[in-house]
Amino acid sequence: MIETMSKAEMQRYQGIRGVPHDFTDYWQQLILSLQLPELKIREKDFHVKQVRCFDLYFDGTNGSQVYAKMLLPNTNQKIPVIFHFHGYQGRSSDWSEYFKFVACGYGVVALDVRGQAGKSQDKGQFEGLTVKGQIVRGMVAGREQLFYRDIFLDVYTLIEQVRKLPEIDDENMQTFGASQGGALAVVGAALHPHIKQVVTIYPFLADFPRVLELGQITEPYDELFRYFKFQDPFYQTKEQIFTALDYIDIKNFAHMIKGKVKLLTGLRDDICPPSTQYAFFNRIQTNKVHILLPEYGHEALNVGANDLCFNWLVNTEIEEV
């Protein structure tokens, strides 16, 4: 379904539900309780002398193994880092796709989200509907069993462990991604105070009640509709479900972000409705820029938008188009 709010309405909109009173404390306590695992690093010979490539592994929650790529310029200087996160159901990009950042002196660390198409392995066990999709995994049992809770902790753990490496400039770290990757970029910036800037493109996982209100049944939100259609057609658990999902709703992380935020939104997005993205953006309390593409939806933005994001990431003082 195409967005029903006007631009003026969206510019005032902050989402259907408020932020839980204990939201910030909840995530801070989770981080404090983490026993950070050893980061296992294996260098790869990619046969390009200007770039050093590494496989990274660590043990995540639930005994899952988490994988990421790391690419560093071959230099003796401290290296600024861009953390890249991929879209829903996907995996990190090919190594060579990140060389453009390395050519500009930046390292890249790219996570494979557990249980999706990359090398990270999910070993968690969940109650309730798991036939389709990862938003719904664990939501019936409550916030402690949410699948994305573990993914968000993976994001924090990766950033924290990479920043401790001696070659990394931990005062110059950024997050970047689109869709699910855009959501994880937001969460990384919210949970880790060293993130200087987040560049997020049409982020996923925002304002779940609005998605339901719009009847958004395209991938990947279809899993929410399947839950209510087949397990709760009378919506008797609606409050219970949204109370759990509040803790992975990215609009509720907005106030925790300390660094700059750049957001790109296609106003014809029928996957992550523009109003849900505004609900996140309008809650940001730091320096922020919102670029709109009126004729674009949830699709490749090969119209200069990728160049804009690239320049934002390698020239962090650029603010506008």
Side-chain angles (χ1 to χ4, degrees):
M1 176 178 288
I2 298 298
E3 182 59 64
T4 60
M5 284 189 190
S6 68
K7 183 178 176 182
E9 289 172 323
M10 289 191 289
Q11 288 173 332
R12 299 188 298 270
Y13 180 67
Q14 295 204 353
I16 290 177
R17 295 171 65 91
V19 180
H21 72 279
D22 64 343
F23 183 88
T24 303
D25 287 342
Y26 173 76
W27 279 101
Q28 288 177 343
Q29 289 303 313
L30 273 180
I31 287 170
L32 287 173
S33 68
L34 274 178
Q35 304 219 347
L36 292 173
E38 176 189 0
L39 189 63
K40 300 168 186 172
I41 304 175
R42 301 173 187 169
E43 187 161 9
K44 297 174 65 72
D45 186 356
F46 205 79
H47 308 293
V48 178
K49 65 181 180 180
Q50 297 91 342
V51 185
R52 299 179 67 198
C53 297
F54 304 86
D55 290 321
L56 306 183
Y57 295 90
F58 63 87
D59 294 329
T61 53
N62 296 328
S64 299
Q65 185 176 72
V66 183
Y67 170 81
K69 296 181 173 79
M70 181 169 72
L71 301 87
L72 301 176
N74 200 352
T75 177
N76 292 323
Q77 298 179 335
K78 288 279 190 177
I79 301 168
V81 174
I82 298 165
F83 291 89
H84 177 252
F85 303 99
H86 64 77
Y88 194 53
Q89 302 178 359
R91 63 174 180 85
S92 55
S93 301
D94 288 349
W95 295 89
S96 59
E97 292 297 308
Y98 297 119
F99 283 7
K100 59 189 177 185
F101 295 111
V102 180
C104 294
Y106 282 79
V108 178
V109 176
L111 177 73
D112 279 359
V113 173
R114 59 168 79 183
Q116 297 188 16
K119 293 183 179 180
S120 294
Q121 298 299 312
D122 168 40
K123 295 185 179 179
Q125 296 181 346
F126 301 87
E127 296 180 14
L129 187 72
T130 60
V131 67
K132 182 177 182 181
Q134 296 182 338
I135 295 174
V136 299
R137 293 190 67 183
M139 71 181 187
V140 174
R143 66 185 186 182
E144 301 304 322
Q145 294 298 315
L146 289 168
F147 183 76
Y148 271 102
R149 170 185 178 275
D150 293 315
I151 295 174
F152 291 0
L153 292 175
D154 290 344
V155 169
Y156 173 83
T157 299
L158 180 66
I159 295 171
E160 176 63 10
Q161 295 301 74
V162 167
R163 86 168 185 92
K164 294 177 181 177
L165 298 177
E167 56 266 64
I168 300 303
D169 179 359
D170 69 351
E171 295 300 323
N172 194 352
M173 303 193 304
Q174 304 176 72
T175 57
F176 172 49
S179 195
Q180 173 185 258
L184 299 185
V186 165
V187 170
L191 295 182
H192 206 293
H194 279 73
I195 297 301
K196 181 178 180 179
Q197 177 173 252
V198 51
V199 177
T200 178
I201 302 172
Y202 40 65
F204 180 41
L205 302 175
D207 200 12
F208 298 106
R210 174 63 176 163
V211 171
L212 202 65
E213 182 179 81
L214 282 170
Q216 186 64 288
I217 59 173
T218 52
E219 287 279 4
Y221 283 119
D222 180 48
E223 59 204 65
L224 275 177
F225 289 88
R226 289 179 61 85
Y227 167 78
F228 284 109
K229 181 174 181 178
F230 294 110
Q231 289 205 303
D232 183 16
F234 300 108
Y235 280 63
Q236 293 173 319
T237 61
K238 181 178 177 181
E239 181 62 24
Q240 170 192 341
I241 294 304
F242 285 129
T243 296
L245 292 178
D246 280 342
Y247 289 87
I248 60 165
D249 189 326
I250 66 161
K251 73 175 177 56
N252 295 337
F253 287 90
H255 70 281
M256 297 170 65
I257 297 173
K258 301 295 189 292
K260 299 177 182 179
V261 179
K262 308 290 197 304
L263 170 64
L264 267 71
T265 298
L267 290 181
R268 294 183 181 270
D269 196 329
D270 63 350
I271 303 294
C272 298
S275 58
T276 68
Q277 298 177 50
Y278 269 97
F280 156 68
F281 185 79
N282 292 338
R283 290 176 174 271
I284 298 167
Q285 299 174 9
T286 185
N287 180 297
K288 59 184 181 180
V289 174
H290 194 180
I291 301 298
L292 303 177
L293 292 94
E295 303 304 329
Y296 277 79
H298 206 82
E299 58 188 299
L301 302 178
N302 298 319
V303 288
N306 291 324
D307 290 342
L308 175 63
C309 290
F310 179 80
N311 271 291
W312 274 338
L313 291 162
V314 301
N315 300 295
T316 55
E317 300 310 310
I318 292 177
E319 298 296 341
E320 302 293 343
V321 178

